[in-house]
Amino acid sequence: AQPLPPRVVSQPDGAEMVLVPEGSLTFGVKQEEIKALLKTLKAGWADIYASEHKKQTLTLPAFYIDRLEVTNEHYNRFVGAAKGKPSRFARYPQLNAPKQPVVGIGWEDAEAHCRWSGKRLPTEEEWEKAARGTDGRTWPGGNEYDEKAYNGKAAEYSAPVAVGSFPRGDSKYGVADMAGNVWEMTSSTWQGDAKAMRGGSFLNRLADVRVTVSRPTFDAEVN
């Protein structure tokens, strides 16, 4: 069989996608590891950490994932072409630069955008492998991480920035912004009807943007 190309451009959205090869990964984390890391970071405990998946080894088939978060430019192309629902924040200029990641959409909107693009949302396991690689790292960029390597609390932008603005924080596979900027949706269920989101946002500190942190979608409407 022909080897899969390392990068492809999907249509009709025109997004670059990277290949995450078949193989095993360390998924999840031990609670003791979180506590030890928080001590090193001099960071307090957050309730959300208690819901992180238990540490285990999984094997996944190869898959492709978008290299960049879905931008307003890409999302608006879908809204125009497929009569998709606009972002709830479409009238806020500070959130609607073409290269900023789209916010203010619900899980169903994200699913509809994926269908239009001929794709699907990643599972939590796939998201974590794309962010973490195969070496069990703590952040996408490695185990030693810099607060200025991602758009989070310390960067002080106080808003999403253009996707790919923090290349030092790219994952092993070259996927950007898997720590900070905006929370990213998966197809996995968190608890009840909520879906799991990963990666943290511009509001989050270093401990919150670890590759194992998971939180629920806020409600049906909010990204």
Side-chain angles (χ1 to χ4, degrees):
Q2 286 286 96
L4 294 167
R7 298 201 176 190
V8 295
V9 174
S10 61
Q11 297 300 338
D13 61 341
E16 185 181 22
M17 303 186 80
V18 299
L19 176 68
V20 179
E22 177 184 4
S24 64
L25 77 147
T26 300
F27 179 73
V29 65
K30 291 180 179 170
Q31 291 285 305
E32 310 88 80
E33 290 174 327
I34 301 172
K35 287 168 184 167
L37 180 67
L38 292 176
K39 205 169 178 181
T40 308
L41 295 174
K42 297 183 170 59
W45 177 262
D47 289 345
I48 198 113
Y49 304 158
S51 63
E52 292 179 42
H53 293 280
K54 288 182 178 154
K55 193 170 190 175
Q56 56 201 283
T57 301
L58 301 176
T59 301
L60 295 178
F63 62 93
Y64 283 97
I65 192 165
D66 280 13
R67 192 177 78 78
L68 301 170
E69 293 168 323
V70 175
T71 60
N72 287 307
E73 185 176 49
H74 280 127
Y75 188 76
N76 290 337
R77 199 177 294 170
F78 151 70
V79 171
K83 296 186 170 59
K85 201 161 79 176
S87 155
R88 287 201 306 153
F89 302 139
R91 294 181 183 172
Y92 293 69
Q94 67 272 33
L95 296 173
N96 279 279
K99 302 294 183 193
Q100 276 180 310
V102 64
V103 293
I105 65 168
W107 185 81
E108 287 182 1
D109 306 316
E111 279 279 279
H113 174 267
C114 286
R115 283 195 298 274
W116 172 76
S117 306
K119 305 179 199 177
R120 59 175 175 80
L121 288 170
T123 63
E124 277 197 277
E125 292 81 1
E126 288 169 335
W127 189 97
E128 192 166 315
K129 184 169 183 183
R132 193 175 204 180
T134 54
D135 55 6
R137 59 185 58 185
T138 305
W139 293 282
N143 291 322
E144 300 296 323
Y145 211 49
D146 179 355
E147 284 201 332
K148 300 291 171 74
Y150 73 102
N151 182 28
K153 207 168 184 179
E156 297 180 348
Y157 282 104
S158 305
V161 296
V163 297
S165 294
F166 288 80
R168 279 195 302 140
D170 285 3
S171 80
K172 170 186 172 177
Y173 302 110
V175 188
D177 301 314
M178 297 194 89
N181 219 20
V182 296
W183 285 95
E184 300 179 2
M185 294 190 202
T186 73
S187 61
S188 299
T189 302
W190 198 78
Q191 288 171 9
D193 293 332
K195 295 292 176 181
M197 296 197 299
R198 292 298 197 104
S201 79
F202 61 90
L203 296 168
N204 290 113
R205 58 189 187 151
L206 199 50
D208 300 338
V209 299
R210 291 175 292 109
V211 291
T212 53
V213 175
S214 177
R215 67 153 299 156
T217 43
F218 304 102
D219 60 41
E221 289 298 320
V222 181
N223 184 3

